[in-house]
Amino acid sequence: MSVKKAVIPAAGFGTRFLPMTKATPKEMLNIIDKPAIQYIVEEAVQSGIEEILIITMRNKSSIENHFDASPELESILLKQNKEALYKKTQAVSQLADIFYKRQKNISGLGQAILEAKAFVGNEPFAVLLADDLIVSEVPCLKQLISIFEDKKASTIGVQKVESWEVEKYGIVEGTGADHKLLKVKHLVEKPLEEDAPSEMAILGRYVLTPGIFEILENTEPGYNGELQLTDALNTLSKKEEVYAFQFDGTRFDLGDKLGYLKATVTLALQHEELQDDFRVFIKNLSKNL
Ligand code: G1P
């Protein structure tokens, strides 16, 4: 069964970026010339996703405006013969069929995913966390969908992190001969370093079977008193096979100032128009460090 629907949770206050996020959603932070969330939507589309539900909240309507058509602007760009800019601007509103739902009760990733139950129905679906930007040759979600299609089982994107970092992530314990693909035995959300079963961290990409909704509805609040997707996935892994795949690519934490800077510099060094000049600038800068 092919995966055509994706959910992007984008509620949350972005407190780590205050005061920037007082009036601007963190998902709209600019990375060169696109807001962060556009990179996430583009990864979904490049992975074969056709319908996307973005879970938003109050004060996030600029996300909807960004993916909407902008007829006045488009006609001005055409009149001024700015063909390339017109194409770039217009293409944003054509990326995919994007739906929005406002989350009223902000209480964990599990709660956000539950908001997608009616949208998803009885199909497998993808989840992309907007804070996790993954730069890779083959889109990260596409890599996971290939595993899903092969195994016909829920698949989570993971990478190894430093032992002192496990407290920030959902951590996977698994078994498997192929070191890139683990069969999940157990999952735990943000364990203490000394309690972590491994250093294999969930990094914001999932392909899930719809059975997760019933489990989420029956899951008690976990870490931080919030409904955790990781806890529901742990239950799912006892009922059906769940896999964790170490995807190829570099992941940046866009919810964090340093992660955001690293992402910006990395993408600038790959940017068609900027890369040559920016490389010279970085080289000169590093000479003086
Ligand atoms: C969420 C998930 C966690 C995952 C992380 C990846 O946590 O709950 O399991 O490892 O995203 O970024 P958050 O960072 O939203 O606290």
Side-chain angles (χ1 to χ4, degrees), residues 16 109 129 131-132 168-171 188-190 201-204 206 223 228-230 251 253:
R16 285 185 288 174
L109 179 56
L129 302 191
D131 271 354
D132 293 290
K168 295 197 288 187
Y169 300 103
I171 299 295
V188 49
E189 179 70 5
K190 303 192 173 83
I202 304 173
L203 293 183
Y206 313 74
Y223 178 86
Q228 298 297 343
L229 178 60
T230 304
R251 172 264 184 184
D253 182 2

Side-chain angles (χ1 to χ4, degrees), residues 229-271:
L229 178 60
T230 304
D231 294 343
L233 285 168
N234 187 41
T235 308
L236 186 71
S237 72
K238 316 290 183 243
K239 293 187 169 182
E240 45 183 82
E241 287 186 347
V242 174
Y243 287 88
F245 181 65
Q246 282 193 71
F247 58 85
D248 292 320
T250 307
R251 172 264 184 184
F252 298 95
D253 182 2
L254 294 184
D256 170 74
K257 279 175 260 196
L258 187 60
Y260 170 76
L261 273 178
K262 288 179 183 175
T264 304
V265 170
T266 303
L267 289 170
L269 286 169
Q270 297 178 3
H271 193 274

